[in-house]
Amino acid sequence: MALIDMLFGGKKKTASVAKERLQIILAHERSDRTTSKPDFLNDLQKDLVQVISKYIQIHPNDIKVNLDRQDNLEVLEVKIEMPESELRAKPGGQ
Amino acid sequence: MALIDMLFGGKKKTASVAKERLQIILAHERSDRTTSKPDFLNDLQKDLVQVISKYIQIHPNDIKVNLDRQDNLEVLEVKIEMPESELRAKPGGQ
């Protein structure tokens, strides 16, 4: 799978770095017919962070968001890096 | 951005195809300390589909899920292809 090598900027083997990282890529390709429809990726991003908060503790400072547009393709990239001290699973998450 | 070219299997310019596609890639890199912690990507995937259903109509048949593991990296890929007939934004979504 070539895509796997693109994640985290291609530096995936950082076993020595005591960090936990989460990368979310949301790509939305719209057909021509729906080009005028406002895209929902921005709103979706907020929901995503909320959903992920169920499983891991996320600090707003740890989140980097990038939105890319190319023709009828819209790509939302959310990167979350958690320092080691924050690595604790939330008890309620399942 | 090189990553953008990897999405949808590299075929992003399908303006002539009347389809709407959504691709979600969730990559979780765990630090060594947390390797024993059960991963949450599978549960998260269900929540994600639920959240996205707020914005667009998703049929279970339209969803393809692929889970990849490589060392301490776990990659969940969710592809959603919607036939043109299903391309209608949900009124409640915002």
Side-chain angles (χ1 to χ4, degrees), chain A residues 29 70-73, chain B residues 5 10-17 21:
Chain A
E29 188 188 54
Q70 201 174 93
D71 303 321
N72 58 336
L73 180 65
Chain B
D5 299 318
K11 292 173 287 180
K12 64 182 186 299
K13 308 233 178 195
T14 53
S16 58
V17 182
R21 299 194 291 179

Side-chain angles (χ1 to χ4, degrees), chain A residues 1-10 12 21-29 41 44-45 48-49 52 64 66 73-80, chain B residues 1-12 21-29 39-42 44-46 48-49 52 63-69 73-80:
Chain A
M1 185 192 185
L3 179 67
I4 209 168
D5 299 318
M6 303 297 298
L7 300 166
F8 300 117
K12 65 182 186 299
R21 301 194 288 180
L22 196 67
Q23 187 175 16
I24 306 157
I25 298 161
L26 261 167
H28 185 206
E29 188 188 54
L41 290 195
L44 185 53
Q45 176 239 318
L48 285 181
V49 172
I52 293 165
K64 279 178 196 162
N66 181 51
L73 180 65
E74 194 157 36
V75 180
L76 178 79
E77 197 181 353
V78 182
K79 284 184 188 182
I80 302 167
Chain B
M1 184 192 184
L3 179 67
I4 208 168
D5 299 318
M6 304 296 299
L7 300 166
F8 299 117
K11 292 173 287 180
K12 64 182 186 299
R21 299 194 291 179
L22 196 67
Q23 188 176 16
I24 306 157
I25 297 161
L26 262 166
H28 184 207
E29 187 188 55
D39 209 19
F40 52 86
L41 288 196
N42 256 326
L44 186 53
Q45 175 241 319
K46 290 172 205 149
L48 286 181
V49 171
I52 292 166
I63 304 174
K64 279 178 197 162
V65 179
N66 181 50
L67 187 62
D68 234 350
R69 265 171 244 252
L73 180 66
E74 195 158 34
V75 180
L76 179 79
E77 198 181 352
V78 182
K79 284 184 187 182
I80 302 167

Side-chain angles (χ1 to χ4, degrees), chain A residues 1-80:
Chain A
M1 185 192 185
L3 179 67
I4 209 168
D5 299 318
M6 303 297 298
L7 300 166
F8 300 117
K11 291 174 287 180
K12 65 182 186 299
K13 307 232 178 194
T14 54
S16 58
V17 182
K19 267 190 181 173
E20 181 156 352
R21 301 194 288 180
L22 196 67
Q23 187 175 16
I24 306 157
I25 298 161
L26 261 167
H28 185 206
E29 188 188 54
R30 294 191 274 180
S31 70
D32 279 355
R33 306 267 179 107
T34 56
T35 309
S36 58
K37 198 174 70 183
D39 209 22
F40 54 85
L41 290 195
N42 256 327
D43 292 323
L44 185 53
Q45 176 239 318
K46 290 171 207 150
D47 288 344
L48 285 181
V49 172
Q50 209 168 28
V51 162
I52 293 165
S53 302
K54 279 172 60 183
Y55 300 96
I56 48 169
Q57 287 195 323
I58 303 174
H59 289 212
N61 289 347
D62 299 336
I63 304 173
K64 279 178 196 162
V65 179
N66 181 51
L67 188 63
D68 233 351
R69 265 170 244 254
Q70 201 174 93
D71 303 321
N72 58 336
L73 180 65
E74 194 157 36
V75 180
L76 178 79
E77 197 181 353
V78 182
K79 284 184 188 182
I80 302 167

